[in-house]
């Protein structure tokens, strides 16, 4: 009887040891999984910041460049000034909206603050889009009027080029916006998932 009891106790101790080992492995796996998710989210935020840097660089390059191009096309000074200011506002908005988004905050555990910044950034992007679309429609109409009233009659080549550019720009802009919003939504969701753990 004692021998059966001793065998049962040994089996029980062995099962406890195996259960503890299993718990330890699961815990280690959760830690590795969380670290991997933090790394992926951090890389996603780095990509968002990099895209913002590219947008600032493009706007900063086109602000002075458009002055020369538009002057060469014979467009009015008012149109050139409005266009230049638009590019500068875009660059400023891109810098302003991404302020404080730091990919290292995700790795260091500052998830709540990072989540707030990302949601605020998404809200700013959506508001900006609601203002930019009507502005660009008006701006493009003004551009076509400027080309049409250039003294010697309409510049059909520039008008066709402007229309083709507008179509291509709209397609690429829409694709870029959808991609960046998906990236942003994924980052926000990942931060929310990490916050729950």
């Amino acid at each position: 009887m004692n021998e059966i009891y001793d065998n049962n106790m040994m089996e029980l101790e062995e099962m406890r040891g195996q259960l503890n080992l299993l718990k330890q492995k699961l815990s280690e796996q959760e830690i590795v999984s969380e670290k991997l998710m933090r790394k992926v989210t951090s890389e996603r935020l780095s990509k968002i910041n990099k895209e913002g840097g590219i947008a600032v660089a493009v706007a900063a390059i086109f602000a002075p460049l458009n002055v020369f191009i538009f002057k060469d096309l014979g467009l009015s000074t008012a149109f050139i000034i409005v266009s230049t200011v638009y590019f500068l506002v875009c660059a400023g908005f891109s810098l302003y909206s991404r302020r404080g988004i730091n990919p290292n905050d995700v790795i260091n555990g500052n998830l709540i603050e990072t989540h707030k910044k990302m949601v605020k950034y998404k809200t700013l992007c959506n508001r900006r889009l609601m203002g930019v679309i009507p502005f660009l429609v008006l701006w493009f109409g003004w551009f076509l009027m400027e080309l049409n009233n250039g003294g010697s009659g309409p510049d059909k080549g520039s008008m066709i080029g402007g229309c083709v550019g507008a179509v291509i720009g709209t397609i690429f802009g829409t694709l870029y916006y959808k991609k960046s919003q998906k990236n942003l939504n994924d980052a926000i969701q990942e931060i929310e998932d990490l916050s729950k753990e």
Side-chain angles (χ1 to χ4, degrees):
M1 183 84 151
N2 239 354
E3 192 176 310
I4 294 173
Y5 177 77
D6 288 343
N7 283 342
N8 285 342
M9 290 304 286
M10 283 176 53
E11 285 179 20
L12 186 60
E13 285 301 318
E14 190 176 316
M15 287 172 63
R16 281 184 187 159
Q18 288 175 351
L19 186 61
N20 284 337
L21 184 64
L22 182 62
K23 283 181 181 178
Q24 181 183 357
K25 285 186 178 186
L26 285 174
S27 176
E28 288 171 2
Q29 195 172 18
E30 283 178 16
I31 291 170
V32 169
S33 176
E34 183 179 337
K35 284 183 180 177
L36 182 62
M37 193 155 173
R38 285 179 185 267
K39 185 173 188 265
V40 167
T41 305
S42 176
E43 288 171 359
R44 194 177 302 277
L45 294 181
S46 292
K47 186 176 179 181
I48 289 169
N49 279 341
K50 184 178 178 182
E51 288 173 355
I54 291 170
V56 169
V58 167
I61 289 169
F62 275 101
L65 186 61
N66 92 67
V67 172
F68 298 110
I69 293 170
F70 290 164
K71 264 189 180 180
D72 191 46
L73 289 172
L75 304 180
S76 70
T77 304
F79 182 80
I80 294 170
I81 290 171
V82 168
S83 300
T84 304
V85 168
Y86 170 72
F87 283 120
L88 294 174
V89 167
C90 286
F93 174 82
S94 192
L95 287 172
Y96 172 78
S97 63
R98 286 178 176 78
R99 75 193 183 292
I101 296 176
N102 186 354
N104 292 330
D105 286 346
V106 174
I107 291 175
N108 297 333
N110 194 358
L111 298 175
I112 294 170
E113 192 62 33
T114 303
H115 182 266
K116 285 180 187 176
K117 289 175 184 174
M118 295 305 294
V119 169
K120 185 176 181 180
Y121 171 64
K122 182 180 176 182
T123 303
L124 284 172
C125 286
N126 290 333
R127 285 183 185 164
R128 185 191 115 213
L129 185 66
M130 293 302 126
V132 165
I133 290 174
F135 172 80
L136 287 176
V137 168
L138 292 172
W139 179 88
F140 187 67
W142 188 11
F143 174 69
L144 293 177
M145 284 176 33
E146 288 276 333
L147 289 175
N148 196 26
N149 295 330
S152 61
D155 182 354
K156 290 183 183 178
S158 295
M159 290 178 90
I160 291 170
C163 290
V164 169
V167 170
I168 292 171
T170 300
I171 291 169
F172 280 108
T174 302
L175 293 174
Y176 171 77
Y177 180 76
K178 286 183 177 182
K179 181 182 172 191
S180 73
Q181 284 298 300
K182 183 186 180 322
N183 198 21
L184 187 57
N185 288 334
D186 289 348
I188 290 170
Q189 185 60 51
E190 289 167 2
I191 292 170
E192 287 173 358
D193 292 345
L194 284 168
S195 298
K196 292 174 189 173
E197 293 177 359

